[in-house]
Amino acid sequence: MMKLTIPDYISSLKPYKPGKPLEELEREYGISDSIKLASNENPLGPSPRALAAIRDVLENLHRYPDGSGFKLKGKISEKFGVDSRQVVLGNGSDEIIGMLTRAFLQPGDEVILPAPSFLMYAILARSAGAVPVDVPLSAMSLDLDGMQDRITSKTRMIFICNPNNPTGTFITDRDFRKFLESIPQDLMVVADEAYIEFVRGSEAVSSIEYLKSGRRLVTLRTFSKAYGLAGLRIGFGVMPPEVADLLNRVRQPFNANSLAQAGALAALDDTDFFKKTLKLVHSGLDFLYRSLDKMGIEYFPSQANFFLVNVRRNADAVFEAMLKEGVIVRSMSEYGFPEFIRINVGLPAENDRFLQALAKVLG
């Protein structure tokens, strides 16, 4: 048999480990009636209008989806005040990250990343043979000055996660503008705003507003979080038309399926559900903060729908112990926080159950 030659930058990759589905964990640990607060999902589920729209297209599943995403791209362009030629749909926004790395990176190029942040930035950069350049956070926030200092002649791309996952900190409009003005014009800046809808700080930047600056700027958004459509895997990027044109050359045909397009289109119109989601998340955050204060447990406040909790012991062990109580959280040891767990806001009863389980586990 012929021996395959695998590039080192592929064979050395460590796969991304997502949070396991609820059903799989229950089977594995022999538990039932568990709650999942590990993957930053919408506790309300999908938008009712999205569900109705999905049901309406079920009978046409023998047809291929609209490969151009005409209606959804039109709705996105209308909502955000951009040209539909600037919009690229993805099987989740992380697929668009993959398109960007394939289209714009070559082996040996450098990509500047915040650390820790979303792990797929580094994985997809390495899959193109590029070299990730980690810039540690400063006080749990992205260090934009540190990123600027790491730019070299080999730098091709910079990832900005706003709010950052897993810390939930955001970048101000003033700092973002200053950063863009201080870096070379030809660098591509990718602003991942998967959690931007949850931000309560009015000074936070919305990078879409900078698309007219003439820079190579890409804004990523998703329907997985605030819109409750994580299972459909649908996201989008907004960018200069010439960048979108190149991504469409490497994009898989029909990458956004019919159900996802229909659900996302309806979700954008369901403002009542969107407002209900934000109200639930913000009130849930405030309740959990107050409760942890009373328990004397340290946490890090967030501008997303999740936050970090300092358990002051091995986070993997706490994850296992919480699992036995039927509460699924996320250990942050893989992110460089070996004594932190991350939880997302749940329904009120789920938040109560989390607090009771945590008090039991931590003694």
Side-chain angles (χ1 to χ4, degrees):
M1 182 180 293
M2 183 175 65
K3 184 178 179 181
L4 293 176
T5 302
I6 309 297
D8 290 341
Y9 58 81
I10 296 295
S11 60
S12 63
L13 284 176
K14 294 182 179 179
Y16 176 76
K17 296 180 181 179
K20 291 183 179 180
L22 189 65
E23 298 80 3
E24 182 179 344
L25 284 167
E26 289 188 334
R27 287 195 304 268
E28 187 176 333
Y29 285 83
I31 58 177
S32 60
D33 190 32
S34 58
I35 60 172
K36 185 183 180 186
L37 304 176
S39 297
N40 308 336
E41 296 156 338
N42 190 326
L44 292 175
S47 149
R49 290 178 65 171
L51 287 176
I54 290 167
R55 293 188 190 102
D56 287 343
V57 299
L58 286 175
E59 293 184 358
N60 292 319
L61 291 185
H62 61 299
R63 305 295 185 191
Y64 283 104
D66 177 2
S68 69
F70 178 79
K71 289 183 179 179
L72 181 54
K73 287 167 64 175
K75 177 67 70 174
I76 291 168
S77 65
E78 176 186 327
K79 180 177 177 63
F80 294 101
V82 298
D83 193 301
S84 61
R85 294 174 302 169
Q86 295 178 261
V87 181
V88 175
L89 302 180
N91 183 29
S93 55
D94 46 353
E95 188 198 18
I96 302 173
I97 299 172
M99 295 182 205
L100 288 165
T101 57
R102 290 198 306 277
F104 290 97
L105 298 179
Q106 300 181 40
D109 288 345
E110 293 181 351
V111 179
I112 295 178
L113 316 169
S117 192
F118 184 40
L119 300 177
M120 288 306 298
Y121 303 149
I123 291 174
L124 290 170
R126 287 193 176 98
S127 73
V131 180
V133 178
D134 291 343
V135 177
L137 303 182
S138 175
M140 294 290 211
S141 299
L142 269 65
D143 183 0
L144 295 181
D145 290 337
M147 289 182 161
Q148 180 187 348
D149 291 342
R150 299 300 300 274
I151 293 172
T152 70
S153 60
K154 295 182 178 180
T155 305
R156 297 292 178 267
M157 191 175 291
I158 301 175
F159 280 95
I160 303 288
C161 190
N162 180 48
N164 187 45
N165 179 15
T167 57
T169 52
F170 70 82
I171 299 169
T172 67
D173 184 83
R174 177 177 177 273
D175 288 344
F176 188 72
R177 181 186 298 109
K178 178 184 174 184
F179 177 71
L180 287 184
E181 291 172 350
S182 67
I183 64 175
Q185 190 83 10
D186 60 342
L187 288 184
M188 176 165 290
V189 177
V190 182
D192 185 354
E193 298 179 342
Y195 301 95
I196 197 71
E197 293 89 355
F198 299 108
V199 172
R200 286 190 270 188
S202 60
E203 66 272 29
V205 66
S206 174
S207 62
I208 287 179
E209 298 174 6
Y210 285 82
L211 287 171
K212 295 179 181 179
S213 66
R215 300 199 63 96
R216 281 188 174 180
L217 174 64
V218 176
T219 298
L220 301 179
R221 297 286 181 95
T222 183
F223 290 94
S224 295
K225 310 303 179 182
Y227 294 99
L229 298 178
L232 287 180
R233 308 306 302 125
I234 180 73
F236 64 94
V238 187
M239 61 205 74
E242 61 271 18
V243 175
D245 176 66
L246 288 170
L247 292 201
N248 282 319
R249 301 184 192 196
V250 300
R251 179 177 62 86
Q252 293 288 330
F254 312 116
N255 64 320
N257 68 74
S258 300
L259 303 184
Q261 290 188 47
L265 192 64
L268 283 175
D269 282 334
D270 197 345
T271 54
D272 289 340
F273 177 80
F274 182 78
K275 291 177 182 177
K276 186 177 180 181
T277 293
L278 296 190
K279 183 178 179 181
L280 177 79
V281 167
H282 293 155
S283 62
L285 284 171
D286 294 339
F287 167 75
L288 288 166
Y289 294 162
R290 291 193 303 270
S291 301
L292 291 172
D293 283 335
K294 292 177 182 177
M295 297 166 67
I297 296 175
E298 183 184 0
Y299 59 89
F300 192 80
S302 167
Q303 291 287 337
N305 66 335
F306 59 82
F307 66 101
L308 298 176
V309 180
N310 188 352
V311 293
R312 298 192 180 280
R313 63 188 69 180
N314 185 281
D316 291 338
V318 171
F319 161 79
E320 294 281 349
M322 291 288 285
L323 196 55
K324 293 174 182 177
E325 299 298 320
V327 179
I328 304 168
V329 298
R330 187 77 181 261
S331 167
M332 289 288 100
S333 58
E334 191 176 9
Y335 285 78
F337 295 127
E339 294 189 343
F340 281 78
I341 60 172
R342 190 193 67 197
I343 69 156
N344 63 259
V345 173
L347 297 172
E350 294 173 329
N351 298 334
D352 285 332
R353 187 169 168 188
F354 160 74
L355 292 167
Q356 294 167 9
L358 186 67
K360 180 178 180 180
V361 167
L362 299 183

